[in-house]
Amino acid sequence: DFNAQEIYNEINRLFSVHAKKEVPQLQFEEETPWTERAVAEAKHPKAQFTRVAFAWQTVSYYDEKMYPLDVLASMLGDGRGSILYQRLKEEKRLVESVSAFSWTPAYNGSFGVSVDLPPIEDEGELRKRIELVESEIYEAFSEVAAGKIEDYRLNSVKRRVLNGAISKNETALGLAQSLAGSVMSSDSTR
């Protein structure tokens, strides 16, 4: 057991030496919309693989489309059962790993797919591999857009995303991280 009042008093004692300051409100200019996807490629001299990230501009935290983007990111690149893992790693053996993300801050967000390619020394072969991977990513997008996704997969991903959102708020640490993330990425605790 612990005495909540003693802990509160100790926290006040420790932090009262710091004067309260007004936090300046930063205003950012709205980013010019991207007209196409962005690609970043990194090859560390000591690493035996190349990491390639594909990204597209999406919506802000306040747009209701952020939720379907979270589901899409999970469906495409969250774990061994994901569409891109199955297609790019298991079936076609084009990548060593794959993941997808949806990031939705207060302003324009981004959706991305990141892959680690196996060691490829020849620059021409590397370019060809990147093009193949990108083509497969677009094919997966097309299949999802056309509704060619099995119900079990969609329902499973929706449950996983919902469970993740709920479970992260079940502990003090998870709730603190959620609140801090909201403030940092959207300037809001809503």
Side-chain angles (χ1 to χ4, degrees):
D1 284 345
F2 63 92
N3 183 319
Q5 187 61 46
E6 285 178 15
I7 293 172
Y8 179 76
N9 291 342
E10 182 64 12
I11 290 171
N12 277 335
R13 185 186 71 73
L14 291 170
F15 288 95
S16 65
V17 297
H18 303 287
K20 268 189 173 180
K21 298 178 190 175
E22 281 295 314
V23 177
Q25 291 296 315
L26 301 175
Q27 296 296 320
F28 297 99
E29 293 181 28
E30 192 162 325
E31 184 179 5
T32 305
W34 304 356
T35 56
E36 54 189 61
R37 60 98 175 98
V39 178
E41 182 182 320
K43 194 173 199 176
H44 190 279
K46 293 185 180 180
Q48 296 297 313
F49 64 87
T50 299
R51 176 164 291 160
V52 182
F54 305 90
W56 299 265
Q57 190 177 59
T58 61
V59 299
S60 80
Y61 175 81
Y62 303 106
D63 192 306
E64 63 187 28
K65 293 178 190 137
M66 72 174 264
Y67 301 108
L69 287 169
D70 288 344
V71 171
L72 179 63
S74 185
M75 185 183 310
L76 290 177
D78 186 11
R80 292 181 175 183
S82 69
I83 292 168
L84 291 176
Y85 185 92
Q86 290 293 310
R87 179 175 292 173
L88 298 175
K89 177 152 176 61
E90 297 293 325
E91 294 169 18
K92 307 223 175 186
R93 307 244 185 252
L94 294 172
V95 303
E96 295 294 322
S97 68
V98 59
S99 63
F101 69 87
S102 177
W103 181 60
T104 48
Y107 303 99
N108 296 328
S110 58
F111 183 90
V113 176
S114 177
V115 299
D116 292 335
L117 302 177
I120 301 172
E121 295 299 322
D122 181 68
E123 189 64 26
E125 287 298 315
L126 180 61
R127 297 287 131 232
K128 192 186 298 185
R129 178 70 59 101
I130 292 170
E131 287 174 16
L132 279 170
V133 167
E134 185 172 17
S135 175
E136 291 293 335
I137 291 168
Y138 278 110
E139 180 65 25
F141 286 166
S142 296
E143 289 172 11
V144 171
K148 295 180 180 176
I149 301 304
E150 303 91 346
D151 285 342
Y152 82 88
R153 183 186 296 273
L154 181 59
N155 292 332
S156 172
V157 169
K158 283 181 179 178
R159 249 187 332 273
R160 185 172 49 230
V161 170
L162 179 61
N163 288 341
I166 292 170
S167 67
K168 76 177 180 182
N169 291 321
E170 289 182 340
T171 65
L173 175 61
L175 190 55
Q177 289 173 331
S178 178
L179 289 171
S182 292
V183 170
M184 295 303 292
S185 68
S186 68
D187 193 29
S188 170
T189 54
R190 293 190 271 170

